[in-house]
Amino acid sequence: MRSEVVCTLAEVASIVGGRVEGDESVTVERIAPVADAGRGDLGFLADRRYLEGVPETGASALLVSTELADALDTPLPRVVVDDGHRALQALLSAWYPVRAPDPGVHPTAVLGRGVTLGEGVEIGPYVVLGAGCAVGDGTRIDAHCVVGEHCTIGPSSVLHPHVVLYAGTEVGARVTLHAGVRLGVDGFGYAWIDGGHRKVPQVGGCIVEDDVEIGANTTLDRGSIGDTRVGHGTKLDNLVHLAHNVQTGPHCAAAAMVGIAGSSRLGTGVFLGGQAGVIGHLELGDGVKVAAKAAVFRDVPPGETVAGIPARPNREFLRSRAQVERLPKLLDRVARLEERLARLEDDDPPVRGA
Amino acid sequence: MRSEVVCTLAEVASIVGGRVEGDESVTVERIAPVADAGRGDLGFLADRRYLEGVPETGASALLVSTELADALDTPLPRVVVDDGHRALQALLSAWYPVRAPDPGVHPTAVLGRGVTLGEGVEIGPYVVLGAGCAVGDGTRIDAHCVVGEHCTIGPSSVLHPHVVLYAGTEVGARVTLHAGVRLGVDGFGYAWIDGGHRKVPQVGGCIVEDDVEIGANTTLDRGSIGDTRVGHGTKLDNLVHLAHNVQTGPHCAAAAMVGIAGSSRLGTGVFLGGQAGVIGHLELGDGVKVAAKAAVFRDVPPGETVAGIPARPNREFLRSRAQVERLPKLLDRVARLEERLARLEDDDPPVRGA
Amino acid sequence: MRSEVVCTLAEVASIVGGRVEGDESVTVERIAPVADAGRGDLGFLADRRYLEGVPETGASALLVSTELADALDTPLPRVVVDDGHRALQALLSAWYPVRAPDPGVHPTAVLGRGVTLGEGVEIGPYVVLGAGCAVGDGTRIDAHCVVGEHCTIGPSSVLHPHVVLYAGTEVGARVTLHAGVRLGVDGFGYAWIDGGHRKVPQVGGCIVEDDVEIGANTTLDRGSIGDTRVGHGTKLDNLVHLAHNVQTGPHCAAAAMVGIAGSSRLGTGVFLGGQAGVIGHLELGDGVKVAAKAAVFRDVPPGETVAGIPARPNREFLRSRAQVERLPKLLDRVARLEERLARLEDDDPPVRGA
């Protein structure tokens, strides 16, 4: 995406709270990774591993953290900051402001009885809002979203195209739902009766608190009885699945393809790496970190970092892996012991018999 | 969701086939997990691990299995049943009957030539039905579903919003498809010809038998040649993937994010835990159980429970895990053997030389 | 799907470049797996493991590779080819030609300002094309697709129903996007500022080169800064996730449910098995193969085949697995060593004391 900005390095430094080294009148109009940057670009150095690309960069200037600034092999002017990612966030937020909604209801939208829309709401083409829905001020609902009956959506939220909310779903303020998100889906609940799986009606709620962002094609089940809840400020990536009655605390983050089974509860600030899984009815304490691809089969106390299948404390995981890798050596040692012992046993009888 | 019921415990007991202990005239109007239940709620105790929440529950009464009833630390009246989950299923089915379709075709629906609709069919806004489709009596097709040409959908089925059926897909009676389900997608079939992957046209069928439920954003490929088939009564959770020519028996259940590769076949009543995977061209016999996150790389005989990556019989899996966990101890034992043996070897020569 | 062909075996042989053994005037009109084939079908034998189904097949004739032809236990006439899958590809391509677009814009489609459509473009019902989009000649966009502003889609591409492209996405020629594909989604990028995850605006591109096919409900993030790119001829299966700034070379293939985290780069012709994962900022060299369910935590050099969690060269993986499986035996050996050593130690003192 093109911004429409031209900025001097002095202006950049002022936005990100950094200092300029070199010519502060140099102008930039885009930000790009160092390796891809060209003329007019502010080259961003995200990580030490990209340092080698610096000498050949086509960037007009660099944005770099104090930590990496000394290692730069280039005479290019630069803006130096304490925390590169924070600076990037500040600069991009300034250059690419979130598009304000374009208030109005597209003539093709279908609104049920008793729908209430706040001020400045934008409803896109072919949106369907069920009876009794309420949409807060300044919220934007993009093309083809389908919102079931009696849902509530808070102010300043964005529903990208093709979101579906099942009846009764509650979405907070400043929430972003990406394309293909499904909220309030029936949970996977059956009882085995008379030779078949009989559906247990799923009648609980699905509540997404304020400042949550949910990635494309992610699915959240409603509670069976009781609620499924995503705590405020929590971020879920694409293709994540939260089963019925899962509850996350505030400020959690789950990378793509994470799955959490029924009734498990996450504390505050829990992080899950991509493709990690958590079975049902567990507790993950505040600040727990789960490594990518791990499978959590037991409660995890607050602050613990776990990895592996089944997941265990990271230190144990690493030790156990190291030991498995040392198995060939262990086999050799045992073989040598057997030889030496056999030799001793052979030796012994003559000694005794001597 | 609110039901509109007020029920005495006597009535509850009669619905679920249980008996009341305590005042049977107490009324309840909702069912909730014990921990969340308030005044007017029937608190449901799903599992022993939630017993500790009983003394503080705000529920007006409890629904509990015989097994747990004795352990209750509360004077609250209760309905006691043999099987709690079965009772829950019965009570919720009575209180929250499935909404009957509201017959009619929304004026925005687009119907191709030769579409046939049964009695009492409900077609929602912006639905597109391709030429030659047939929809059975009492079936409901929600907003934005797209059904390709010559599909058939049996009676009393429900397609939630945003379902897509590719041309020629066959769906049975009393089937539920959740939002974002894709059926009859082209399988992942290519031949490497002249330096590129060339598509092998995918021309087989995709057949979903009666009483199947399929979760949100789940995808089923059509057969390459021959059919993909989901047996009657089988339940698939959200974000599941069945590749071309997969065939499941009746009454299987696959939890969220299960993936089954091409041409694998499941017998009757197979269960797969969340995020489990099965590679192509395998046979899983009747009653096989696959643990969450397991990866099945070989055929599994009927009745077997498998776990791990690669999946192996559960007993083996547990033993192997235990042994890996005992590796540090094994290392110690070998080190001690080496010391003791060295001592013996040192001792021996003097003996021999004596 | 039914083709409308009736073909003699002589004609089949000419299409696939094979030779007939038996009566070449026999006619077939469909192709089916040997096990399912009936009268009028050309039975296809995909693999040695299906040989046992040959004697009972109802097929009128067989299509088989030279390699398997000798093992056939049947007098049926057959077409024999060097490479069965290549022949299948040729025959199905001839019998089931890709449907040409039916040019025109459905009256319900909503086109933004400045949309440009090539010759022979087909735009289905309820499609929404944002301002400034460009669609190449002969491209088909099916029902309910939503294409954001300033996207470009090359010629002869197909967007199946319910595809969403975020603003600025670039799609090449002869690309196939299956139902529910989401391209150009915001990446999962946050900075932790003032006690919360703050969104780093995602402003990079999402580029899908020529001859790519992407499976149902697969999601591709746009770059944060810089681009996400899928190389020409690459094929992605259903429910795959590529995070921001992932770049794949040409002719890669990722089976269902593969996830690749941010900024990782794949060379030419990389293959990933189902449910495999790759963490961020890695390089996978040309021709790398990643086994199903593997988790890649380190760079992989060109040509390497890796497996396991964490992924390691396949030979190492197999050796390590074998060693873990031999642990019970190792435990026995160590126990026996301990006994024998104890015996020696007991024996020794009397010897010395003798």
Side-chain angles (χ1 to χ4, degrees):
Chain A
M1 281 190 277
R2 290 254 142 222
S3 70
E4 287 172 23
V5 201
V6 181
C7 241
T8 64
L9 294 192
E11 289 165 329
V12 169
S14 137
I15 291 167
V16 302
R19 67 178 196 282
V20 180
E21 294 181 2
D23 180 355
E24 67 176 29
S25 70
V26 166
T27 58
V28 289
E29 48 193 272
R30 216 182 61 138
I31 182 154
V34 156
D36 307 335
R39 209 179 138 75
D41 286 353
L42 181 66
F44 177 64
L45 194 66
D47 192 292
R48 187 167 296 277
R49 85 187 80 191
Y50 300 116
L51 271 171
E52 59 182 35
V54 167
E56 292 90 50
T57 184
S60 294
L62 298 177
L63 175 64
V64 66
S65 66
T66 315
E67 195 191 18
L68 297 178
D70 297 336
L72 290 181
D73 181 14
T74 173
L76 284 175
R78 65 207 61 177
V79 177
V80 181
V81 294
D82 288 343
D83 178 336
H85 286 276
R86 211 167 147 151
L88 183 68
Q89 197 276 339
L91 191 59
L92 289 172
S93 298
W95 284 8
Y96 298 85
V98 176
R99 148 166 124 60
D102 183 10
V105 177
H106 196 277
T108 59
V110 174
L111 273 59
R113 266 166 308 120
V115 168
T116 63
L117 302 180
E119 296 280 307
V121 164
E122 174 182 351
I123 305 288
Y126 303 120
V127 167
V128 176
L129 298 179
C133 285
V135 180
D137 295 349
T139 282
R140 189 182 108 209
I141 302 186
D142 282 348
H144 289 253
C145 288
V146 176
V147 178
E149 300 188 350
H150 302 291
C151 291
T152 60
I153 304 173
S156 303
S157 290
V158 176
L159 277 63
H160 285 273
H162 282 246
V163 168
V164 173
L165 308 189
Y166 279 56
T169 299
E170 300 172 36
V171 171
R174 298 171 305 281
V175 168
T176 301
L177 304 179
H178 285 283
V181 163
R182 320 300 182 191
L183 301 186
V185 180
D186 284 3
F188 197 64
Y190 304 92
W192 184 264
I193 299 174
D194 298 338
H197 301 286
R198 306 300 157 191
K199 185 176 179 76
V200 178
Q202 302 289 304
V203 304
C206 180
I207 299 165
V208 171
E209 296 184 354
D210 299 343
D211 299 300
V212 168
E213 183 162 5
I214 303 186
N217 287 349
T218 283
T219 64
L220 267 64
D221 289 343
R222 67 187 325 117
S224 53
I225 54 171
D227 298 327
T228 302
R229 178 181 298 269
V230 177
H232 71 266
T234 287
K235 313 296 181 183
L236 307 177
D237 201 351
N238 300 345
L239 293 167
V240 167
H241 166 71
L242 304 191
H244 45 193
N245 298 90
V246 166
Q247 308 233 348
T248 87
H251 306 304
C252 295
M257 299 172 148
V258 162
I260 305 185
S263 299
S264 281
R265 292 176 183 227
L266 278 52
T268 297
V270 172
F271 172 83
L272 297 114
Q275 294 183 333
V278 178
I279 66 163
H281 297 279
L282 297 185
E283 301 266 348
L284 278 64
D286 295 348
V288 163
K289 288 188 171 58
V290 178
K293 204 88 175 188
V296 183
F297 291 158
R298 276 188 243 165
D299 288 348
V300 184
E304 190 87 84
T305 296
V306 297
I309 304 175
R312 45 205 182 286
N314 201 37
R315 218 178 313 173
E316 261 181 54
F317 169 72
L318 294 173
R319 196 175 49 204
S320 158
R321 283 213 32 74
Q323 282 161 349
V324 168
E325 270 161 26
R326 266 182 276 134
L327 270 179
K329 232 170 153 178
L330 183 63
L331 280 165
D332 284 352
R333 284 165 67 185
V334 169
R336 249 176 300 134
L337 278 170
E338 287 168 333
E339 280 170 39
R340 286 161 62 190
L341 191 58
R343 227 176 297 135
L344 268 191
E345 287 169 336
D346 282 353
D347 281 1
D348 256 15
V351 172
R352 259 177 279 164
Chain B
M1 282 190 278
R2 289 253 144 223
S3 70
E4 287 172 25
V5 202
V6 180
C7 241
T8 64
L9 294 191
E11 289 164 329
V12 168
S14 136
I15 291 168
V16 302
R19 65 176 199 284
V20 181
E21 294 181 1
D23 179 356
E24 67 176 29
S25 71
V26 167
T27 58
V28 289
E29 48 192 272
R30 216 182 61 137
I31 182 155
V34 156
D36 307 335
R39 209 179 138 75
D41 287 351
L42 181 64
F44 177 64
L45 194 65
D47 192 291
R48 184 166 299 278
R49 86 187 78 191
Y50 299 116
L51 270 171
E52 58 182 36
V54 167
E56 292 91 50
T57 185
S60 295
L62 298 177
L63 174 63
V64 67
S65 65
T66 315
E67 195 192 17
L68 298 177
D70 296 337
L72 290 181
D73 180 16
T74 174
L76 284 174
R78 64 206 64 176
V79 176
V80 181
V81 293
D82 288 342
D83 177 337
H85 285 277
R86 212 167 146 150
L88 184 67
Q89 198 275 341
L91 190 60
L92 290 172
S93 298
W95 283 8
Y96 298 86
V98 176
R99 142 166 128 61
D102 183 11
V105 176
H106 197 276
T108 60
V110 174
L111 273 59
R113 264 165 309 119
V115 167
T116 62
L117 302 180
E119 296 281 306
V121 164
E122 173 181 352
I123 306 287
Y126 302 120
V127 166
V128 176
L129 298 179
C133 286
V135 180
D137 295 349
T139 282
R140 190 181 109 209
I141 302 186
D142 281 348
H144 289 253
C145 288
V146 176
V147 178
E149 300 189 350
H150 302 292
C151 291
T152 60
I153 303 172
S156 302
S157 289
V158 176
L159 277 63
H160 286 272
H162 282 246
V163 168
V164 173
L165 309 189
Y166 279 56
T169 299
E170 300 172 38
V171 171
R174 298 171 304 281
V175 167
T176 301
L177 305 178
H178 285 283
V181 163
R182 320 301 181 189
L183 301 186
V185 181
D186 284 3
F188 198 63
Y190 303 92
W192 184 263
I193 300 174
D194 299 338
H197 300 287
R198 307 299 158 189
K199 186 176 177 78
V200 179
Q202 302 288 305
V203 304
C206 180
I207 300 165
V208 172
E209 296 184 354
D210 299 343
D211 297 301
V212 167
E213 183 161 7
I214 302 186
N217 288 349
T218 283
T219 65
L220 269 63
D221 289 344
R222 66 188 324 115
S224 53
I225 53 173
D227 298 328
T228 302
R229 179 182 295 270
V230 177
H232 70 265
T234 287
K235 311 297 182 184
L236 307 176
D237 200 349
N238 298 347
L239 293 168
V240 166
H241 166 72
L242 304 191
H244 44 192
N245 299 90
V246 166
Q247 307 233 350
T248 88
H251 306 304
C252 294
M257 299 174 148
V258 162
I260 306 186
S263 300
S264 281
R265 289 174 185 230
L266 277 53
T268 297
V270 172
F271 173 82
L272 297 113
Q275 294 183 334
V278 178
I279 65 163
H281 297 279
L282 297 185
E283 302 265 349
L284 278 64
D286 296 348
V288 162
K289 287 189 171 56
V290 178
K293 203 85 174 192
V296 183
F297 291 158
R298 276 189 242 165
D299 289 346
V300 184
E304 189 87 85
T305 296
V306 296
I309 304 175
R312 46 205 182 285
N314 201 38
R315 217 177 315 173
E316 263 181 53
F317 169 73
L318 294 173
R319 197 175 50 202
S320 158
R321 282 214 33 74
Q323 282 161 350
V324 168
E325 270 162 25
R326 266 181 276 135
L327 270 178
K329 230 170 155 176
L330 183 64
L331 280 164
D332 285 351
R333 284 165 67 185
V334 169
R336 249 176 299 134
L337 277 170
E338 288 168 333
E339 279 170 38
R340 284 160 62 189
L341 191 58
R343 225 175 297 133
L344 267 193
E345 286 169 337
D346 282 351
D347 282 0
D348 258 14
V351 172
R352 258 175 282 162
Chain C
M1 282 191 276
R2 289 255 144 220
S3 71
E4 289 174 23
V5 203
V6 180
C7 240
T8 64
L9 293 192
E11 288 164 330
V12 168
S14 136
I15 291 168
V16 301
R19 65 176 199 284
V20 180
E21 293 181 1
D23 179 356
E24 66 175 30
S25 70
V26 166
T27 58
V28 289
E29 49 192 270
R30 215 181 63 137
I31 182 155
V34 157
D36 307 335
R39 207 179 139 77
D41 287 351
L42 180 66
F44 177 64
L45 194 65
D47 192 291
R48 187 167 296 278
R49 86 186 79 191
Y50 299 116
L51 271 170
E52 59 183 35
V54 168
E56 292 90 50
T57 184
S60 295
L62 298 177
L63 175 63
V64 67
S65 67
T66 315
E67 197 192 15
L68 298 178
D70 296 338
L72 290 182
D73 180 15
T74 173
L76 283 175
R78 64 206 64 173
V79 178
V80 181
V81 293
D82 288 344
D83 178 336
H85 285 276
R86 211 167 147 151
L88 183 68
Q89 197 275 339
L91 190 61
L92 290 172
S93 298
W95 283 8
Y96 298 85
V98 175
R99 145 166 125 62
D102 182 9
V105 176
H106 196 277
T108 59
V110 174
L111 273 59
R113 265 164 310 118
V115 168
T116 62
L117 302 180
E119 296 281 305
V121 164
E122 173 180 352
I123 306 288
Y126 303 120
V127 167
V128 176
L129 298 179
C133 286
V135 181
D137 295 350
T139 282
R140 190 181 108 208
I141 302 186
D142 282 349
H144 289 253
C145 288
V146 176
V147 178
E149 299 190 351
H150 302 292
C151 291
T152 59
I153 303 172
S156 302
S157 289
V158 176
L159 277 64
H160 285 273
H162 282 244
V163 168
V164 173
L165 309 189
Y166 279 56
T169 299
E170 301 171 37
V171 171
R174 297 172 304 281
V175 168
T176 301
L177 304 178
H178 284 284
V181 163
R182 319 301 182 190
L183 301 186
V185 180
D186 284 2
F188 197 63
Y190 304 91
W192 184 264
I193 299 174
D194 299 338
H197 300 287
R198 306 300 157 188
K199 185 177 179 77
V200 179
Q202 303 288 305
V203 305
C206 180
I207 300 166
V208 172
E209 297 184 353
D210 299 342
D211 298 301
V212 168
E213 183 161 4
I214 302 185
N217 288 349
T218 283
T219 65
L220 268 63
D221 288 344
R222 64 186 328 113
S224 53
I225 54 171
D227 299 327
T228 301
R229 178 181 296 268
V230 178
H232 70 265
T234 287
K235 312 296 183 185
L236 307 176
D237 200 350
N238 299 347
L239 293 168
V240 166
H241 166 70
L242 304 191
H244 46 191
N245 299 90
V246 166
Q247 307 232 349
T248 88
H251 306 305
C252 295
M257 300 174 149
V258 162
I260 305 186
S263 300
S264 281
R265 291 177 184 226
L266 278 51
T268 297
V270 172
F271 173 82
L272 297 114
Q275 294 183 334
V278 178
I279 66 163
H281 297 278
L282 297 185
E283 302 265 348
L284 278 64
D286 296 347
V288 162
K289 286 188 172 58
V290 178
K293 203 85 174 193
V296 183
F297 290 159
R298 275 189 243 168
D299 290 346
V300 184
E304 190 87 85
T305 295
V306 297
I309 303 175
R312 45 204 183 286
N314 201 38
R315 219 178 313 174
E316 263 181 53
F317 169 73
L318 294 173
R319 198 175 48 203
S320 159
R321 283 212 32 75
Q323 282 161 350
V324 169
E325 270 162 26
R326 265 181 277 135
L327 271 178
K329 232 169 152 177
L330 183 64
L331 280 164
D332 284 350
R333 284 165 66 185
V334 169
R336 249 176 302 135
L337 278 170
E338 288 168 333
E339 281 170 37
R340 284 159 62 189
L341 191 59
R343 226 175 299 135
L344 268 192
E345 287 169 337
D346 282 350
D347 281 1
D348 257 16
V351 172
R352 259 177 279 164

